[in-house]
Amino acid sequence: MNTLVRLLVVMDPIDHIKYQKDTTLALLLAAHARGYELHYAEMQDLRLRDGVAEARTRKLEVRANPKDWYTLGAPVVSALGEFDVVLMRKDPPFDTEYIYATYILERAELAGALVVNRPRGLRDMNEKVYTAWFPQCCAPTLVTRDMQEMAAFAAVHGTIVCKPLHGMGGRSIFVVAPGDKNAAVVYETLTEYGQHFAIVQKYLPEIAVSGDARVLLIDGEPLPYALARIPTAHDHRGNLAAGASGIAREITARERWLAGEIGPAMRAAGMLFVGLDVIGGYVTEINVTSPTGVRELHAQFGVDAAALLLQAIDKRLRDAAATRPRGQRAT
């Protein structure tokens, strides 16, 4: 890009991130390397005023220094449409507050900002439920509030995995084996006695050996390497936040096929940065909110996913500028 690009990141508190692992920081460092002007906000800084998306923002400087990786400027009130890019990197839970934030970001998008990922997609693509749009890619799955239906699913498929629809990082994930006397308690807890939907999936034993692979898609295209997250010997969860080990490897032919099934839909929906969770050749989740794994792939294979995402963002900005009437910032 020949002109200065102004990027606003909406994220969790930057002083709480883990420097060595944080993907958002990797994206910001890549943006800084491309000459972007960086700005920072948190969820509580967002607001709508008379239909205009605004935020209390601060200019941000980032550095590749594990002891001193950022500096924030003084807060100012900014219209989000004044930024070229708004990078939404707030971690789940995907609750009503997150949904409200997507409405504000959609107003920013309508005012001319490129929001990554697109607010409507963030709102529509629940990371667990949206797998239903690609049943050919998934193992047997049930989303229900009915505890008896959960038990019937378990009777057919044996060992199952039960999860809430809004969780992250391996929180509240239960593996229920045949004869488990805690099964009814798990169903009651997740659904709050039938008051909330939960998801039940056939347990895929491959997770214990080959792990839960994170396949990253950038503008619909898969990276050549995946991050296989191997559970510890004392846990069933393939989540780095739950103690799993991250081992990078080449993606398999099956994973490339899965990406070919799902990637075009992500590209068409404006979801530039997506993570597919794959166990035993089946997609279990489609992560659109704040995919991770970038730092591990770079450290183990030298794959700079952050730079590739910034290239995709630059292309979107160029394409938008090429189709825009002269003198008009946004359509």
Side-chain angles (χ1 to χ4, degrees):
M1 300 290 291
N2 295 324
T3 59
L4 178 67
V5 177
R6 302 179 72 234
L7 179 148
L8 171 69
V9 64
V10 180
M11 62 183 289
D12 291 300
I14 193 170
D15 58 335
H16 290 172
I17 66 173
K18 296 180 180 179
Y19 173 86
Q20 298 292 349
K21 292 182 175 291
D22 194 79
T23 288
T24 302
L25 180 59
L27 300 179
L28 293 171
L29 289 169
H32 171 72
R34 295 181 77 82
Y36 282 29
E37 180 182 284
L38 304 181
H39 299 260
Y40 169 92
E42 298 173 19
M43 281 272 279
Q44 65 264 27
D45 295 317
L46 302 179
R47 73 186 193 190
L48 272 176
R49 186 179 182 101
D50 299 325
V52 177
E54 298 178 339
R56 188 170 49 251
T57 68
R58 286 173 279 183
K59 197 166 184 179
L60 171 66
E61 296 179 5
V62 292
R63 297 171 288 278
N65 183 337
K67 295 183 179 179
D68 178 28
W69 61 84
Y70 75 97
T71 301
L72 290 174
V76 297
V77 175
S78 306
L80 300 191
E82 295 176 357
F83 294 97
D84 299 288
V85 182
V86 177
L87 186 62
M88 177 54 164
R89 289 289 300 178
K90 173 70 179 69
D91 283 340
F94 187 84
D95 53 15
T96 53
E97 290 301 304
Y98 196 104
I99 291 173
Y100 298 150
T102 66
Y103 290 124
I104 297 174
L105 294 176
E106 192 163 7
R107 293 299 300 171
E109 182 181 57
L110 291 170
L114 172 66
V115 183
V116 180
N117 281 319
R118 194 173 186 188
R120 180 168 296 181
L122 293 174
R123 194 163 58 243
D124 290 351
M125 297 177 184
N126 178 277
E127 299 186 332
K128 297 173 179 63
V129 179
Y130 196 66
T131 58
W133 270 248
F134 308 94
Q136 73 277 19
C137 300
C138 305
T141 301
L142 172 69
V143 176
T144 185
R145 294 165 54 151
D146 191 311
M147 293 177 285
Q148 292 182 344
E149 290 180 356
M150 289 182 164
F153 184 91
V156 172
H157 296 289
T159 303
I160 60 172
V161 177
C162 306
K163 299 184 283 189
L165 296 182
H166 60 275
M168 64 162 287
R171 295 175 187 173
S172 301
I173 295 179
F174 297 90
V175 173
V176 179
D180 190 334
K181 293 184 179 180
N182 288 312
V185 177
V186 170
Y187 306 151
E188 292 164 1
T189 300
L190 289 179
T191 68
E192 292 193 19
Y193 292 88
Q195 297 304 304
H196 297 285
F197 286 102
I199 188 167
V200 185
Q201 296 168 319
K202 180 181 178 180
Y203 177 72
L204 300 168
E206 292 89 345
I207 190 173
V209 177
S210 55
D212 182 347
R214 169 63 56 81
V215 177
L216 292 176
L217 307 180
I218 295 179
D219 204 8
E221 293 295 326
L223 295 184
Y225 299 95
L227 184 68
R229 297 160 299 173
I230 313 296
T232 67
H234 308 290
D235 206 325
H236 59 263
R237 295 170 295 176
N239 301 87
L240 298 179
S245 300
I247 300 175
R249 58 158 175 78
E250 291 187 11
I251 65 171
T252 65
R254 169 72 178 181
E255 289 164 350
R256 192 173 294 279
W257 178 83
L258 293 170
E261 293 290 295
I262 298 172
M266 298 297 102
R267 184 187 305 113
M271 312 306 281
L272 268 65
F273 190 37
V274 175
L276 306 182
D277 288 351
V278 181
I279 302 174
Y282 294 99
V283 172
T284 60
E285 294 187 17
I286 301 174
N287 289 272
V288 299
T289 50
S290 56
T292 59
V294 165
R295 303 298 283 270
E296 291 83 357
L297 290 177
H298 188 265
Q300 295 183 44
F301 274 102
V303 177
D304 197 344
L308 292 173
L309 177 60
L310 267 295
Q311 290 175 21
I313 288 173
D314 279 350
K315 183 178 185 303
R316 290 285 178 123
L317 293 175
R318 288 195 301 270
D319 290 348
T323 59
R324 190 176 301 146
R326 180 174 297 181
Q328 182 177 327
R329 183 181 183 280
T331 56

